[in-house]
Amino acid sequence: MINLKECILYRDFEHGEILEKMTELINGYEQEDPSLKEKGSLLFDCASGLVENAGLYGFSGNLWHCYLTFLLVNHENAFSTASEIRGAVKGSINELALCDFEIFKQLYDFDLTVLDRFFGVSCCQVLCSFTNTGTNSKMYNSRIRDRICEMSVTLARASTAQEFMDDMVQFYKDFGVGKLGLHKAFRVAHDENDKVVIQPITRIAHVQLEDLVGYEIPKQKLIENTEAFVQGRKANNCLLFGDAGTGKSSSIKGILNRYYDQGLRIIEVYKHQFQDLNDVIAQIKNRNYKFIIYMDDLSFEEFEIEYKYLKAVIEGGLEKKPDNILIYATSNRRHLVREKSSDKLEIMDDNDLHSSDTVQEKLSLVYRFGVRIYFGAPNKKEFQNIVRVLAKRYGVTMPDDELMLEANKWELSHGGLTGRTAQQFIDYILGRGK
């Protein structure tokens, strides 16, 4: 008999309803329960849930095994979180984990198709060799989906509970556990109890640093700081500032895609969510990943005081900032907070007795970013080079003279000389079939 209540580490699963119902069916079959014939609706409930799960996450193959694997790779407990940091762990916790995996191995080893014969149906046969024609998943990208499907096959082939556990440990070490291990990027939200939660972003732009034409020196500064961070060396909070449309946000996305495999994760935070930062940091400070808290298009008007709170979070509170967290921000303003000419000239304001103190207060936030990288708008020649590179990349065959003429006309009425304008121009040309 399979008793899920005997599990010590792997229990109280989110999305565990199908597990409980299917275990009841398996136990009823193996114990030859005379009332099992009356529980056919329970089988159909499980089948429906497994198919819906497959549609939501994009699973194929043996949906029962995929579902069990999905539960295991997402369950954060003392064993799984220790394994993601150190791989195989020592101590008594291994014995507890092995007992749990013996129970799960029984679930993997059970042949669901016997329930088809018992109930006179054919749904389990379909569930065990399911073909998912949908190419998109609402919750997972193809990389995560494929890893779970492949892992389900590996676990089903394990000959012993020890081999089963070794496979799980290797997965945790290679890919992590739970949402923080399986996803690249996250946003901050609140649940129904108004608790701060970190939600995965399932569809992100697959931008590479090489896609950004030019800006080699700014990109190299960003790479050097990020490499130091992911390798466990000292690194600084980073501010990317400069003209609009010059690739600041794209550079951050490129950094994420380059260093994800080395444990880098990004959490996007908006200005109105700064009050949640302490809760976010508390949830990630002890995990085996490097987190960049990302603030896009960051700037403050004089009447906005959120920057004072951000200062304390970045540097200045009593609690030491965790070593696995940095803050990266982009802005069109060098100093983030709006400045007046009277600040620059230190002209006395009738309501401000110490104008120099006011200037220092406004500058104190930007000084908390140890690395500040400038992204300037390209000149005419650089803009034309960006257009040529993008045209070649996307297969635009227009003669060069005509291409430059059209690009020059486009930038005059569409935002000026920026990389974004060049990309929009190429998109326009491609849309016209040229």
Side-chain angles (χ1 to χ4, degrees):
M1 178 178 176
I2 301 173
N3 190 352
L4 295 175
K5 293 182 180 179
E6 292 181 356
C7 288
I8 297 175
L9 298 168
Y10 289 87
R11 57 191 301 129
D12 301 324
F13 288 97
E14 187 178 6
H15 311 297
E17 301 83 2
I18 301 174
L19 174 64
E20 295 175 0
K21 293 178 181 179
M22 190 66 82
T23 302
E24 181 180 347
L25 288 171
I26 293 172
N27 285 333
Y29 177 83
E30 292 188 334
Q31 294 177 337
E32 299 181 354
D33 184 355
S35 66
L36 184 61
K37 279 287 186 182
E38 302 171 5
K39 297 181 179 179
S41 61
L42 204 60
L43 175 63
F44 298 129
D45 287 345
C46 291
S48 175
L50 290 173
V51 172
E52 288 298 320
N53 199 61
L56 195 60
Y57 295 97
F59 298 148
S60 295
N62 189 317
L63 297 188
W64 172 234
H65 290 169
C66 287
Y67 168 72
L68 292 174
T69 307
F70 165 77
L71 295 181
L72 292 173
V73 301
N74 279 287
H75 196 275
E76 297 179 5
N77 56 61
F79 178 79
S80 61
T81 53
S83 297
E84 76 171 0
I85 297 174
R86 295 182 292 272
V89 295
K90 298 180 180 179
S92 300
I93 197 169
N94 282 291
E95 299 176 35
L96 301 178
L98 187 60
C99 291
D100 287 3
F101 289 137
E102 285 176 349
I103 294 173
F104 269 86
K105 189 176 184 314
Q106 295 178 60
L107 293 169
Y108 275 85
D109 290 345
F110 183 80
D111 181 7
L112 282 190
T113 59
V114 300
L115 297 178
D116 276 351
R117 294 191 290 273
F118 182 84
F119 288 105
V121 296
S122 59
C123 61
C124 290
Q125 182 178 353
V126 177
L127 295 176
C128 290
S129 56
F130 190 82
T131 302
N132 198 338
T133 56
T135 56
N136 294 321
S137 165
K138 297 177 182 177
M139 301 299 294
Y140 282 159
N141 59 43
S142 59
R143 176 185 53 82
I144 301 173
R145 176 199 67 206
D146 293 344
R147 282 178 177 174
I148 292 178
C149 291
E150 291 166 4
M151 187 60 182
S152 70
V153 175
T154 300
L155 293 175
R157 290 174 178 170
S159 57
T160 65
Q162 182 63 54
E163 183 181 344
F164 190 104
M165 184 169 78
D166 292 342
D167 290 335
M168 284 306 311
V169 168
Q170 191 62 47
F171 183 94
Y172 291 143
K173 182 181 179 182
D174 291 343
F175 306 119
V177 58
K179 61 185 178 184
L180 297 179
L182 297 175
H183 294 85
K184 291 182 179 181
F186 308 84
R187 63 171 60 91
V188 177
H190 287 253
D191 62 14
E192 60 274 9
N193 298 317
D194 203 34
K195 181 181 177 182
V196 175
V197 294
I198 299 173
Q199 292 182 338
I201 299 174
T202 57
R203 299 190 182 280
I204 60 175
H206 294 287
V207 177
Q208 304 298 325
L209 284 171
E210 294 75 15
D211 296 337
L212 184 62
V213 182
Y215 299 101
E216 297 307 319
I217 294 177
K219 286 193 296 185
Q220 187 57 35
K221 289 182 179 179
L222 185 62
I223 289 170
E224 289 173 355
N225 192 69
T226 307
E227 280 191 352
F229 179 48
V230 298
Q231 292 171 7
R233 295 182 277 117
K234 291 292 185 181
N236 283 289
N237 300 313
C238 193
L239 173 65
L240 282 62
F241 71 94
D243 300 309
T246 52
K248 300 183 294 294
S249 300
S250 295
S251 296
I252 300 293
K253 296 171 187 174
I255 281 290
L256 170 62
N257 289 319
R258 174 173 290 193
Y259 294 103
Y260 163 75
D261 289 336
Q262 298 181 41
L264 184 66
R265 305 291 186 267
I266 282 186
I267 302 175
E268 187 172 36
V269 176
Y270 297 102
K271 189 161 53 178
H272 69 277
Q273 297 174 319
F274 287 169
Q275 60 185 354
D276 298 329
L277 279 175
N278 281 332
D279 288 331
V280 171
I281 291 172
Q283 293 181 43
I284 63 177
K285 64 182 180 180
N286 295 321
R287 296 303 297 270
N288 188 38
Y289 308 104
K290 302 294 185 180
F291 291 93
I292 288 175
I293 296 178
Y294 171 46
M295 304 169 184
D296 191 29
D297 199 19
L298 186 64
S299 65
F300 301 91
E301 301 298 328
E302 277 195 297
F303 61 86
E304 294 179 308
I305 61 172
E306 289 93 340
Y307 76 91
K308 298 177 184 288
Y309 187 83
L310 179 59
K311 283 198 306 179
V313 171
I314 294 178
E315 192 177 312
L318 288 176
E319 184 178 5
K320 177 180 178 291
K321 184 167 69 69
D323 293 333
N324 69 329
I325 298 172
L326 284 183
I327 294 179
Y328 280 20
T330 66
S331 179
N332 295 334
R333 286 179 174 169
R334 177 188 296 267
H335 293 147
L336 298 177
V337 182
R338 182 184 179 188
E339 300 174 277
K340 300 182 297 184
S341 59
S342 58
D343 295 333
K344 186 77 170 177
L345 300 173
E346 296 193 12
I347 299 173
M348 183 67 72
D349 189 306
D350 291 338
N351 296 319
D352 193 347
L353 294 177
H354 304 284
S355 58
S356 61
D357 291 349
T358 301
V359 173
Q360 290 302 312
E361 169 69 14
K362 291 183 176 181
L363 294 178
S364 60
L365 174 59
V366 73
Y367 288 158
R368 280 168 165 77
F369 291 89
V371 173
R372 297 182 286 277
I373 304 174
Y374 175 63
F375 283 70
N379 57 34
K380 191 78 169 181
K381 184 177 180 180
E382 291 169 335
F383 173 78
Q384 291 179 340
N385 180 60
I386 294 173
V387 170
R388 289 190 178 97
V389 172
L390 293 176
K392 182 179 180 180
R393 181 179 297 167
Y394 290 99
V396 175
T397 57
M398 184 182 296
D400 186 72
D401 290 345
E402 183 182 354
L403 181 68
M404 292 301 102
L405 178 63
E406 292 296 323
N408 291 337
K409 290 192 295 184
W410 177 270
E411 64 90 2
L412 288 173
S413 58
H414 291 85
L417 301 172
T418 69
R420 179 183 296 156
T421 302
Q423 181 65 63
Q424 291 171 344
F425 167 69
I426 295 298
D427 291 342
Y428 167 73
I429 294 297
L430 292 172
R432 294 172 59 192
K434 294 189 176 182

